[in-house]
Amino acid sequence: MKRMLSGIKPSGQLTLGNYIGALREFVKYQNDYEMIVFIANLHTLTVYQDPKELSQNLKDTIALYLACGLDPNRSTIFMQSDVMEHAQLGFILSCNTYMGELNRMTQYKDKLAKGEESMTSGFYVYPTLMASDILIYDPDFVPVGEDQKQHVELTRDVAMRFNNRYGETFKIPQPLIPKIGARIMSLSDPTKKMSKSDEQDKGCIYLLDKPEVARKKVMSAITDLVGKVQYDPINQPGIANLLVIHSALSGRSIENLVKEFEGQGYGTFKKAVADEVVKLLIDLQAKYNDILNQHILDKVLAQGAVKARVLAHQKLKLVETKIGLTID
Ligand code: AMP
Ligand code: TRP
């Protein structure tokens, strides 16, 4: 069975973008692949996190993983910091990555362009920690949203370089980007990604939003003056985004939705999208509450960490031997 690995950085509440672009995909894949899914809690520290909030976000994230249908008996689910080998290999890989490569990372360039002054060195090197998260488990595929593709490509470059220098050590993983919904856009600015680090809450639907709040956000989504429901991401990015959301949640094709709604007003179409979103949230939140009441999170994470540690430890030992960190 081929292996797949991915993680989500819980620096805030999980969003509809995370669900459509990532979580939902993980759940689908767990039937056909050996899935390793972790919570990238170390990655959140690249920007300051309030400790209490972070801790709550971690708890919500793992509960939502399970609510979405990730099954701890089939998949390995764990917290990144419970497997210390990630950080150890991360340092070794940062010594096999050039600053020139990190300088080319879009997330870093964006912050730099915005004149961000308090960028941490952890933020700068985080793609090397991500490379370690991946390479330590030898996955065949890494399912991620569009924004993470560049980091998986860097991971491949670093792995190839390492293999060339020290001999075959890492499998070269492939990014896997969903065909629909790889980039859900903000409802209040459809030229930007829907993001949990967005200060503008209106544009972002959180999986734990009250259903009526989510409905309002969809109903007030920015559209355009064209007035016709059709898929034109350049001229009608807001409507295109809503079509993608509907399609991802209802499973209907975009063409099919356009056929149904092109003659109707935006209000009717938005209501249909809101209905899909609300249906999802009600279902997820019921499962989320159920899971919290079962008090199983510690056990699930402990069980996942035990499984992950075996693999991570083996790979780290191999790397240490290859690079000469050990004595014979
Ligand atoms: P992050 O929330 O940045 O840790 O992202 C976790 C996963 O969700 C990654 O695979 C992202 O690519 C994906 N993701 C985040 N935001 C979106 C979005 N707006 N649309 C689609 N996928 C997303
Ligand atoms: N950097 C990813 C994000 O911000 C999260 C992440 C960390 C990840 N390590 C990973 C994703 C390894 C896939 C594989 O979304």
Side-chain angles (χ1 to χ4, degrees):
M1 208 186 228
K2 298 241 181 202
R3 184 180 286 170
M4 222 176 239
L5 169 137
S6 198
I8 289 186
K9 179 177 66 174
S11 52
Q13 289 283 317
L14 292 190
T15 70
L16 185 66
N18 291 136
Y19 177 77
I20 294 176
L23 265 173
R24 196 177 68 124
E25 298 294 301
F26 305 167
V27 174
K28 261 197 273 176
Y29 288 132
Q30 79 186 335
N31 297 324
D32 303 314
Y33 295 88
E34 180 193 345
M35 277 303 287
I36 301 180
V37 184
F38 67 100
I39 298 182
N41 60 345
L42 287 174
H43 288 262
T44 67
L45 303 176
T46 53
V47 290
Y48 172 77
Q49 303 288 320
D50 174 80
K52 274 215 179 75
E53 262 175 48
L54 174 58
S55 176
Q56 182 63 43
N57 285 337
L58 296 180
K59 189 170 173 187
D60 286 345
T61 303
I62 175 73
L64 280 168
Y65 271 23
L66 302 182
C68 289
L70 277 176
D71 175 358
N73 294 318
R74 278 190 286 167
S75 302
T76 302
I77 305 170
F78 66 99
M79 193 73 82
Q80 183 185 27
S81 62
D82 283 343
V83 183
M84 288 196 279
E85 284 82 356
H86 286 231
Q88 173 99 350
L89 179 63
F91 183 76
I92 295 171
L93 294 183
S94 74
C95 297
N96 286 275
T97 307
Y98 297 108
M99 289 174 71
E101 292 176 302
L102 296 176
N103 291 342
R104 284 198 290 277
M105 294 296 109
T106 309
Q107 282 188 347
Y108 166 71
K109 287 203 298 194
D110 285 353
K111 279 210 189 213
L112 205 61
K114 279 191 202 142
E116 173 87 41
E117 276 168 12
S118 51
M119 218 181 317
T120 66
S121 52
F123 176 79
Y124 181 65
V125 295
Y126 113 82
T128 62
L129 178 58
M130 178 159 165
S132 159
D133 298 335
I134 297 172
L135 297 177
I136 207 163
Y137 297 107
D138 277 336
D140 298 280
F141 299 105
V142 182
V144 283
E146 186 65 45
D147 61 333
Q148 293 298 322
K149 191 168 170 225
Q150 192 187 30
H151 294 143
V152 182
E153 277 159 3
L154 175 74
T155 299
R156 290 166 57 88
D157 291 344
V158 173
M160 285 187 245
R161 176 175 308 135
F162 192 100
N163 287 350
N164 281 337
R165 272 187 185 158
Y166 299 108
E168 207 54 31
T169 308
F170 298 119
K171 191 173 247 178
I172 310 299
Q174 275 181 42
L176 212 62
I177 315 292
K179 283 195 196 72
I180 280 204
R183 198 170 159 82
I184 300 297
M185 309 309 274
S186 159
L187 298 174
S188 54
D189 179 354
T191 60
K192 288 207 187 106
K193 185 184 91 155
M194 180 182 283
S195 162
K196 55 199 165 200
S197 36
D198 208 342
E199 299 94 49
Q200 273 222 328
D201 254 10
K202 279 192 321 221
C204 181
I205 291 183
Y206 297 98
L207 297 179
L208 295 178
D209 266 349
K210 290 207 171 67
E212 62 272 27
V213 171
R215 179 178 293 282
K216 275 206 191 105
K217 289 181 182 173
V218 175
M219 293 311 291
S220 53
I222 298 290
T223 52
D224 52 69
L225 298 172
V226 178
K228 188 168 173 195
V229 176
Q230 53 194 359
Y231 187 71
D232 180 353
I234 307 287
N235 298 308
Q236 296 178 258
I239 290 293
N241 190 38
L242 292 175
L243 277 167
V244 169
I245 292 174
H246 193 312
S247 170
L249 298 184
S250 66
R252 292 173 56 188
S253 70
I254 294 205
E255 298 86 78
N256 183 286
L257 291 170
V258 167
K259 244 188 226 148
E260 177 177 344
F261 290 103
E262 69 188 336
Q264 307 190 37
Y266 284 173
T268 312
F269 172 57
K270 280 180 169 176
K271 183 172 174 304
V273 178
D275 286 346
E276 289 297 329
V277 171
V278 164
K279 197 163 77 184
L280 171 76
L281 296 193
I282 289 176
D283 178 50
L284 272 186
Q285 291 173 13
K287 290 182 180 147
Y288 162 89
N289 286 322
D290 223 37
I291 282 156
L292 287 185
N293 287 332
Q294 292 174 38
H295 304 287
I296 51 170
L297 301 185
D298 286 341
K299 196 169 142 236
V300 165
L301 290 175
Q303 177 190 325
V306 168
K307 283 200 269 175
R309 259 181 227 130
V310 173
L311 298 171
H313 187 71
Q314 254 175 13
K315 181 60 77 178
L316 181 63
K317 286 293 147 209
L318 174 69
V319 168
E320 288 181 347
T321 311
K322 293 258 184 191
I323 62 181
L325 270 189
T326 49
I327 50 172
D328 288 333

